[in-house]
Amino acid sequence: MIKPYENFNQIVALFSDLRCNRIPGQLVIQLTDRCNAFCPQCGMRVTKKFKRSTLSADNVKRIIDTAAQKGVNVVSFTGGEPFLFLDQLVMFIKYAGEAGIEYIRTGTNGFMFANPGSAHFESRVKKVAETLAGTPLRNFWISIDSAVPSVHEQMRGLPDVIAGIEKALPIFHEQGIYPSANLGINRNVGGNMTKGLRVNATLEDDDHLGSFYIAFKKAFRKFYCFVIKLGFTMVNSCYPMSIDHKKKDGSGLSPVYAANSNSSIVSFSAGEKALLFKALLETTTEFRSQIRLFSPGSSLYALYRQYVYDTNASYPCRGGIDFFFIDAKDGNTYPCGYRGNENFGRYWDMDTNALDRIINDCRLCNWECFRDPSELFGPILNALHQPVDLMRKFFRDTKYFKLWFNDIRYYLACDFFNGRLPPDFNRMGMSGKNSAF
Ligand code: SF4
Ligand code: SF4
């Protein structure tokens, strides 16, 4: 069984990182921006006209070699649709494993599971599952946008894909791969329950927000029941990514990663976002013993407070410090997919230590890949480097710290979301209630 930091060298490396005010590194490599799906919430959908790019194999290998030298622990291969280039993807996963990267992740929109009634469906899926099982891949996600199959299939443009996923999951489980359902939070998540709600109400609009909150809480519940029934044992939620684009005064963001859009399906006001985080926290609390849920309660609660009180309630993001994004279009490195004005050039030429001086605390978006681990490591760095500040925070809001401790217990009970192991429901059930409200 793989456990985080189980060997001595890893523990030493972790402490050395923490002592230097650093946390284990993470790199998101966008292999391609090509895609075959129709998602309205994404700027890379197949109908969008722009010049498509794919990173060269030599560059990806060089990036992986550099990441390994820098002690990066987590590498995610994303797209576009990375499975359009399965052979290359498999080669990169193996290469990263051989280079010493421990946490390797990738995912799909599920196009290979569409039309499950077609000839050789099972043998095709089995071949993919066997191929992935022969790699050190740790987490494999499959996107699901709605608890209503027809809504998801229409959004993705993938006919019968839900039935195909249901058929495919046992085949993956047989090979020791436990895929995660990846929910990109959007207004269709609950089908009609959330679809008709008015868009972008303000924090003061109490009537709307009351029904919004109730509808999304029900929708998340429905979604979790749905994916459990499909056979998933793990879920990740991608937080709403409606962002403030760069304004004349220089504030706002400039995305390089086109996995967002201005579509009303994924646009939420600050008040709505706060309630989404609250609804998600309460629902994940309810389902934590039934399915492995990545979203940490402390992170959801911190984001809720950030939107309600407009404070620096959450810990700053480690994007541009320990976490980076490589863009398929130019092959360059960015602090994340959304700070496109800060091009750090080639990853192998980048002096990570020199960046400390130019990066400010950032809380400008809700990209869970970067925000969740930043939040989980926040109190640890705080304890080591600003213990008085941590004590102050502790007495100001003990609820937050209760959630944080429960998250750590839950992450341990889930073997840090090892997607190569089945869930241990006994341990998950004993890891503590997570309620904050
Ligand atoms: S969300 Fe993913 S699958 Fe959908 S269009 Fe964008 S890259 Fe493709
Ligand atoms: S919060 Fe993190 S992911 Fe979001 S813009 Fe800032 S550095 Fe990037």
Side-chain angles (χ1 to χ4, degrees):
M1 173 165 39
I2 307 166
K3 285 220 169 137
Y5 306 111
E6 69 185 347
N7 73 47
F8 182 70
N9 288 343
Q10 283 176 305
I11 295 170
V12 172
L14 173 65
F15 276 101
S16 144
D17 278 347
L18 295 172
R19 202 164 42 83
C20 303
N21 212 357
R22 308 303 287 259
I23 64 174
Q26 183 189 170
L27 196 59
V28 176
I29 305 175
Q30 185 192 29
L31 293 177
T32 182
D33 53 21
R34 290 177 201 279
C35 191
N36 50 1
F38 289 76
C39 315
Q41 70 272 32
C42 178
M44 291 178 278
R45 61 187 173 273
V46 67
T47 49
K48 197 91 177 161
K49 298 262 178 288
F50 66 96
K51 191 172 172 292
R52 307 274 172 165
S53 314
T54 300
L55 292 178
S56 75
D58 284 349
N59 281 0
V60 176
K61 286 182 178 172
R62 203 164 165 193
I63 290 165
I64 293 169
D65 287 337
T66 312
Q69 277 159 23
K70 288 178 195 277
V72 167
N73 285 41
V74 185
V75 166
S76 300
F77 295 111
T78 186
E81 174 51 47
F83 277 77
L84 288 175
F85 305 95
L86 178 61
D87 293 345
Q88 286 241 312
L89 176 65
V90 165
M91 186 263 284
F92 294 144
I93 295 169
K94 288 183 174 166
Y95 193 86
E98 280 157 20
I101 308 287
E102 195 175 357
Y103 297 81
I104 306 169
R105 304 166 175 166
T106 194
T108 179
N109 59 29
F111 74 93
M112 66 196 105
F113 310 126
N115 300 312
S118 59
H120 313 301
F121 175 84
E122 270 127 4
S123 57
R124 263 191 298 120
V125 170
K126 192 167 178 213
K127 200 165 161 219
V128 175
E130 280 172 351
T131 307
L132 291 183
T135 72
L137 182 69
R138 198 172 197 271
N139 290 102
F140 172 49
W141 71 83
I142 302 172
S143 299
I144 310 262
D145 295 330
S146 175
V148 179
S150 58
V151 174
H152 171 76
E153 286 162 3
Q154 200 222 335
M155 282 173 78
R156 296 266 156 182
L158 301 172
D160 284 335
V161 73
I162 292 293
I165 291 170
E166 193 169 14
K167 226 169 163 180
L169 284 173
I171 301 174
F172 277 90
H173 293 172
E174 252 170 50
Q175 298 298 325
I177 293 187
Y178 294 84
S180 160
N182 203 41
L183 165 67
I185 294 175
N186 68 86
R187 288 182 184 272
N188 289 343
V189 63
N192 286 340
M193 197 181 276
T194 46
K195 220 171 168 180
L197 292 167
R198 193 151 53 81
V199 180
N200 285 340
T202 63
L203 249 185
E204 288 74 39
D205 190 349
D206 290 339
D207 283 349
H208 165 74
L209 288 181
S211 37
F212 177 92
Y213 170 69
I214 291 168
F216 269 92
K217 205 170 155 187
K218 277 191 193 157
F220 290 139
R221 228 182 245 146
K222 185 172 169 182
F223 183 84
Y224 290 140
C225 292
F226 172 61
V227 291
I228 289 170
K229 200 159 163 263
L230 281 181
F232 280 103
T233 66
M234 221 185 269
V235 180
N236 182 40
S237 302
C238 301
Y239 307 150
M241 281 305 299
S242 49
I243 56 172
D244 293 331
H245 286 255
K246 198 99 188 155
K247 297 179 192 131
K248 280 197 183 123
D249 65 3
S251 63
L253 293 169
S254 170
V256 269
Y257 186 30
N260 69 89
S261 87
N262 293 330
S263 163
S264 60
I265 292 179
V266 282
S267 293
F268 295 95
S269 66
E272 290 173 338
K273 283 183 197 170
L275 291 180
L276 283 177
F277 292 123
K278 183 176 175 184
L280 199 58
L281 172 53
E282 295 198 335
T283 327
T284 51
T285 300
E286 203 180 316
F287 281 86
R288 269 188 162 195
S289 57
Q290 299 172 52
I291 187 162
R292 291 174 284 188
L293 295 161
F294 273 95
S295 309
S298 52
S299 191
L300 295 169
Y301 181 58
L303 288 166
Y304 165 80
R305 288 190 313 180
Q306 183 181 315
Y307 282 101
V308 172
Y309 306 115
D310 194 21
T311 61
N312 290 341
S314 54
Y315 280 99
C317 181
R318 305 298 294 184
I321 304 170
D322 301 302
F323 304 161
F324 296 93
F325 173 81
I326 311 278
D327 181 42
K329 202 164 39 286
D330 59 14
N332 287 335
T333 316
Y334 295 84
C336 64
Y338 305 94
R339 281 165 50 186
N341 289 344
E342 294 166 72
N343 183 342
F344 298 147
R346 296 299 186 197
Y347 186 61
W348 50 84
D349 290 332
M350 199 180 81
D351 179 359
T352 318
N353 293 322
L355 297 173
D356 280 354
R357 293 187 291 275
I358 57 167
I359 301 293
N360 294 317
D361 288 356
C362 185
R363 297 174 181 84
L364 286 172
C365 83
N366 309 315
W367 200 23
E368 80 297 332
C369 295
F370 283 14
R371 294 304 301 268
D372 285 350
S374 303
E375 198 64 43
L376 286 174
F377 275 102
I380 300 173
L381 289 182
N382 219 185
L384 289 172
H385 300 281
Q386 296 160 303
V388 177
D389 181 55
L390 181 79
M391 290 305 283
R392 223 180 285 131
K393 283 187 176 129
F394 182 82
F395 288 113
R396 214 169 41 215
D397 194 345
T398 47
K399 250 190 234 169
Y400 169 86
F401 288 93
K402 193 166 172 251
L403 287 170
W404 185 85
F405 278 114
N406 277 342
D407 287 336
I408 302 299
R409 286 169 65 195
Y410 186 67
Y411 268 54
L412 283 165
C414 293
D415 287 304
F416 287 78
F417 299 94
N418 189 342
R420 302 303 289 266
L421 293 175
D424 182 337
F425 293 111
N426 282 338
R427 286 169 66 207
M428 284 155 65
M430 282 161 39
S431 65
K433 286 272 174 241
N434 216 34
S435 190
F437 298 104

